[in-house]
Short mmCIF file of all heavy atoms in Angstrom, two decimals:
data_model
loop_
_atom_site.label_atom_id
_atom_site.label_comp_id
_atom_site.label_asym_id
_atom_site.label_seq_id
_atom_site.Cartn_x
_atom_site.Cartn_y
_atom_site.Cartn_z
N ALA O 1 21.65 -31.57 -3.51
CA ALA O 1 20.47 -32.43 -3.34
C ALA O 1 19.48 -31.82 -2.36
O ALA O 1 18.38 -32.33 -2.20
CB ALA O 1 20.90 -33.81 -2.84
N TRP O 2 19.88 -30.73 -1.67
CA TRP O 2 19.02 -29.99 -0.76
C TRP O 2 18.38 -30.89 0.31
O TRP O 2 17.19 -30.87 0.54
CB TRP O 2 17.94 -29.22 -1.51
CG TRP O 2 18.49 -28.07 -2.29
CD1 TRP O 2 18.61 -27.99 -3.65
CD2 TRP O 2 19.04 -26.86 -1.77
NE1 TRP O 2 19.21 -26.81 -4.02
CE2 TRP O 2 19.49 -26.08 -2.88
CE3 TRP O 2 19.21 -26.34 -0.48
CZ2 TRP O 2 20.08 -24.83 -2.73
CZ3 TRP O 2 19.81 -25.10 -0.34
CH2 TRP O 2 20.22 -24.36 -1.45
N HIS O 3 19.24 -31.67 0.97
CA HIS O 3 18.74 -32.38 2.16
C HIS O 3 18.30 -31.38 3.22
O HIS O 3 17.29 -31.59 3.90
CB HIS O 3 19.84 -33.29 2.72
CG HIS O 3 19.56 -33.80 4.10
ND1 HIS O 3 18.40 -34.44 4.42
CD2 HIS O 3 20.30 -33.73 5.24
CE1 HIS O 3 18.42 -34.77 5.71
NE2 HIS O 3 19.55 -34.34 6.23
N LEU O 4 19.05 -30.28 3.36
CA LEU O 4 18.73 -29.25 4.34
C LEU O 4 18.72 -27.88 3.67
O LEU O 4 19.45 -27.65 2.71
CB LEU O 4 19.78 -29.21 5.47
CG LEU O 4 19.95 -30.47 6.31
CD1 LEU O 4 21.15 -30.31 7.24
CD2 LEU O 4 18.69 -30.78 7.11
N TYR O 5 17.89 -27.00 4.21
CA TYR O 5 17.93 -25.58 3.84
C TYR O 5 18.25 -24.83 5.12
O TYR O 5 17.39 -24.65 5.99
CB TYR O 5 16.60 -25.12 3.24
CG TYR O 5 16.66 -23.72 2.65
CD1 TYR O 5 16.96 -23.53 1.31
CD2 TYR O 5 16.45 -22.59 3.45
CE1 TYR O 5 17.03 -22.24 0.76
CE2 TYR O 5 16.51 -21.31 2.92
CZ TYR O 5 16.81 -21.15 1.57
OH TYR O 5 16.89 -19.89 1.03
N VAL O 6 19.51 -24.39 5.23
CA VAL O 6 19.99 -23.76 6.45
C VAL O 6 20.13 -22.26 6.25
O VAL O 6 20.83 -21.82 5.33
CB VAL O 6 21.36 -24.35 6.88
CG1 VAL O 6 21.85 -23.67 8.16
CG2 VAL O 6 21.25 -25.85 7.09
N VAL O 7 19.46 -21.49 7.11
CA VAL O 7 19.64 -20.05 7.12
C VAL O 7 20.43 -19.66 8.36
O VAL O 7 20.50 -20.41 9.33
CB VAL O 7 18.28 -19.30 7.10
CG1 VAL O 7 17.52 -19.63 5.83
CG2 VAL O 7 17.46 -19.62 8.34
N GLN O 8 21.04 -18.49 8.32
CA GLN O 8 21.77 -17.98 9.47
C GLN O 8 21.21 -16.62 9.87
O GLN O 8 20.90 -15.78 9.03
CB GLN O 8 23.26 -17.86 9.13
CG GLN O 8 23.93 -19.20 8.88
CD GLN O 8 25.35 -19.02 8.38
OE1 GLN O 8 25.57 -18.75 7.20
NE2 GLN O 8 26.31 -19.15 9.27
N VAL O 9 21.08 -16.46 11.19
CA VAL O 9 20.53 -15.24 11.77
C VAL O 9 21.54 -14.74 12.80
O VAL O 9 22.39 -15.50 13.26
CB VAL O 9 19.15 -15.54 12.41
CG1 VAL O 9 19.29 -16.48 13.59
CG2 VAL O 9 18.42 -14.27 12.81
N ALA O 10 21.44 -13.49 13.17
CA ALA O 10 22.32 -12.96 14.22
C ALA O 10 22.23 -13.85 15.45
O ALA O 10 21.14 -14.22 15.89
CB ALA O 10 21.91 -11.53 14.57
N LYS O 11 23.39 -14.20 16.01
CA LYS O 11 23.42 -15.23 17.05
C LYS O 11 22.57 -14.86 18.27
O LYS O 11 21.99 -15.74 18.91
CB LYS O 11 24.84 -15.56 17.46
CG LYS O 11 25.59 -14.46 18.19
CD LYS O 11 26.98 -14.94 18.59
CE LYS O 11 27.72 -13.89 19.40
NZ LYS O 11 29.06 -14.38 19.81
N GLU O 12 22.47 -13.57 18.58
CA GLU O 12 21.68 -13.17 19.74
C GLU O 12 20.18 -13.35 19.50
O GLU O 12 19.38 -13.32 20.45
CB GLU O 12 21.98 -11.72 20.12
CG GLU O 12 21.62 -10.68 19.08
CD GLU O 12 22.75 -10.42 18.09
OE1 GLU O 12 23.72 -11.22 18.06
OE2 GLU O 12 22.66 -9.41 17.35
N LYS O 13 19.78 -13.56 18.23
CA LYS O 13 18.36 -13.75 17.91
C LYS O 13 18.00 -15.20 17.64
O LYS O 13 16.82 -15.54 17.53
CB LYS O 13 17.99 -12.92 16.66
CG LYS O 13 18.12 -11.42 16.84
CD LYS O 13 17.68 -10.68 15.59
CE LYS O 13 17.74 -9.18 15.78
NZ LYS O 13 17.30 -8.45 14.55
N ARG O 14 19.01 -16.08 17.55
CA ARG O 14 18.74 -17.45 17.09
C ARG O 14 17.79 -18.21 18.02
O ARG O 14 16.82 -18.81 17.56
CB ARG O 14 20.06 -18.22 16.92
CG ARG O 14 19.97 -19.45 16.01
CD ARG O 14 19.63 -20.73 16.74
NE ARG O 14 20.64 -21.08 17.69
CZ ARG O 14 21.70 -21.84 17.42
NH1 ARG O 14 21.88 -22.30 16.20
NH2 ARG O 14 22.56 -22.14 18.37
N LYS O 15 18.04 -18.20 19.32
CA LYS O 15 17.21 -18.98 20.23
C LYS O 15 15.76 -18.50 20.23
O LYS O 15 14.82 -19.30 20.17
CB LYS O 15 17.78 -18.92 21.65
CG LYS O 15 17.07 -19.86 22.62
CD LYS O 15 17.76 -19.89 23.98
CE LYS O 15 17.07 -20.87 24.93
NZ LYS O 15 17.75 -20.91 26.26
N ALA O 16 15.56 -17.18 20.28
CA ALA O 16 14.20 -16.64 20.27
C ALA O 16 13.49 -16.97 18.96
O ALA O 16 12.30 -17.32 18.96
CB ALA O 16 14.24 -15.13 20.49
N LEU O 17 14.21 -16.89 17.86
CA LEU O 17 13.61 -17.21 16.56
C LEU O 17 13.26 -18.69 16.49
O LEU O 17 12.17 -19.06 16.02
CB LEU O 17 14.58 -16.84 15.44
CG LEU O 17 14.09 -17.08 14.01
CD1 LEU O 17 12.84 -16.28 13.72
CD2 LEU O 17 15.18 -16.75 13.00
N PHE O 18 14.17 -19.53 16.95
CA PHE O 18 13.92 -20.98 16.97
C PHE O 18 12.65 -21.28 17.77
O PHE O 18 11.76 -22.02 17.31
CB PHE O 18 15.12 -21.68 17.59
CG PHE O 18 15.05 -23.19 17.58
CD1 PHE O 18 15.65 -23.92 16.56
CD2 PHE O 18 14.38 -23.88 18.58
CE1 PHE O 18 15.59 -25.30 16.55
CE2 PHE O 18 14.31 -25.26 18.58
CZ PHE O 18 14.92 -25.97 17.55
N ASN O 19 12.54 -20.71 18.96
CA ASN O 19 11.38 -20.97 19.82
C ASN O 19 10.10 -20.43 19.21
O ASN O 19 9.04 -21.08 19.27
CB ASN O 19 11.60 -20.36 21.20
CG ASN O 19 12.67 -21.09 22.00
OD1 ASN O 19 12.94 -22.26 21.76
ND2 ASN O 19 13.28 -20.41 22.97
N ALA O 20 10.17 -19.25 18.59
CA ALA O 20 8.99 -18.65 17.97
C ALA O 20 8.48 -19.53 16.83
O ALA O 20 7.25 -19.73 16.68
CB ALA O 20 9.31 -17.25 17.46
N LEU O 21 9.39 -20.06 16.03
CA LEU O 21 8.99 -20.93 14.93
C LEU O 21 8.37 -22.22 15.45
O LEU O 21 7.32 -22.67 14.95
CB LEU O 21 10.21 -21.22 14.05
CG LEU O 21 10.68 -20.07 13.17
CD1 LEU O 21 12.12 -20.26 12.74
CD2 LEU O 21 9.79 -19.93 11.95
N ARG O 22 8.98 -22.82 16.45
CA ARG O 22 8.43 -24.05 17.02
C ARG O 22 7.03 -23.80 17.61
O ARG O 22 6.13 -24.63 17.46
CB ARG O 22 9.37 -24.60 18.09
CG ARG O 22 10.61 -25.34 17.55
CD ARG O 22 10.23 -26.73 17.05
NE ARG O 22 11.37 -27.49 16.58
CZ ARG O 22 12.04 -28.39 17.31
NH1 ARG O 22 11.68 -28.62 18.57
NH2 ARG O 22 13.04 -29.06 16.79
N GLU O 23 6.87 -22.68 18.30
CA GLU O 23 5.57 -22.37 18.92
C GLU O 23 4.47 -22.19 17.88
O GLU O 23 3.29 -22.42 18.16
CB GLU O 23 5.69 -21.10 19.76
CG GLU O 23 6.46 -21.32 21.06
CD GLU O 23 6.83 -20.01 21.73
OE1 GLU O 23 6.37 -18.93 21.25
OE2 GLU O 23 7.58 -20.04 22.73
N LYS O 24 4.84 -21.80 16.65
CA LYS O 24 3.86 -21.61 15.58
C LYS O 24 3.78 -22.82 14.65
O LYS O 24 3.27 -22.72 13.53
CB LYS O 24 4.21 -20.36 14.77
CG LYS O 24 4.08 -19.05 15.55
CD LYS O 24 2.63 -18.75 15.92
CE LYS O 24 2.50 -17.44 16.68
NZ LYS O 24 2.80 -16.26 15.86
N GLY O 25 4.27 -23.96 15.11
CA GLY O 25 4.10 -25.19 14.35
C GLY O 25 5.11 -25.43 13.25
O GLY O 25 4.86 -26.24 12.34
N VAL O 26 6.24 -24.74 13.30
CA VAL O 26 7.28 -24.92 12.30
C VAL O 26 8.43 -25.71 12.94
O VAL O 26 9.12 -25.21 13.83
CB VAL O 26 7.80 -23.57 11.77
CG1 VAL O 26 8.90 -23.79 10.74
CG2 VAL O 26 6.65 -22.77 11.17
N GLY O 27 8.61 -26.94 12.49
CA GLY O 27 9.55 -27.86 13.13
C GLY O 27 10.99 -27.64 12.69
O GLY O 27 11.62 -28.54 12.11
N VAL O 28 11.51 -26.45 12.98
CA VAL O 28 12.90 -26.16 12.64
C VAL O 28 13.85 -27.01 13.49
O VAL O 28 13.46 -27.59 14.50
CB VAL O 28 13.22 -24.67 12.84
CG1 VAL O 28 12.51 -23.84 11.79
CG2 VAL O 28 12.83 -24.22 14.25
N ASN O 29 15.09 -27.08 13.05
CA ASN O 29 16.10 -27.82 13.79
C ASN O 29 17.44 -27.10 13.62
O ASN O 29 17.52 -26.09 12.91
CB ASN O 29 16.18 -29.27 13.30
CG ASN O 29 16.53 -30.22 14.42
OD1 ASN O 29 17.30 -29.88 15.33
ND2 ASN O 29 15.99 -31.42 14.37
N VAL O 30 18.47 -27.61 14.26
CA VAL O 30 19.81 -27.06 14.11
C VAL O 30 20.75 -28.18 13.71
O VAL O 30 20.83 -29.20 14.40
CB VAL O 30 20.31 -26.39 15.41
CG1 VAL O 30 21.78 -26.00 15.28
CG2 VAL O 30 19.46 -25.17 15.75
N HIS O 31 21.44 -28.02 12.60
CA HIS O 31 22.39 -29.00 12.07
C HIS O 31 23.71 -28.29 11.79
O HIS O 31 23.77 -27.50 10.87
CB HIS O 31 21.88 -29.62 10.77
CG HIS O 31 20.60 -30.36 10.91
ND1 HIS O 31 19.38 -29.76 10.73
CD2 HIS O 31 20.34 -31.66 11.22
CE1 HIS O 31 18.41 -30.65 10.90
NE2 HIS O 31 18.96 -31.81 11.20
#
């Protein structure tokens, strides 16, 4: 049903990627 579309990134890059997306107006989350 695609409630979520979850991608996985190298763990050492996850926080920086999350913050970069949020700063550019992309409301990502972690589930």
Side-chain angles (χ1 to χ4, degrees):
W2 290 108
H3 166 54
L4 299 172
Y5 189 92
V6 180
V7 298
Q8 294 173 280
V9 65
K11 68 177 183 179
E12 63 272 13
K13 296 182 178 181
R14 200 270 297 270
K15 188 174 182 180
L17 181 60
F18 185 95
N19 290 336
L21 286 160
R22 282 284 182 97
E23 287 168 7
K24 294 294 181 68
V26 179
V28 290
N29 213 325
V30 172
H31 299 91

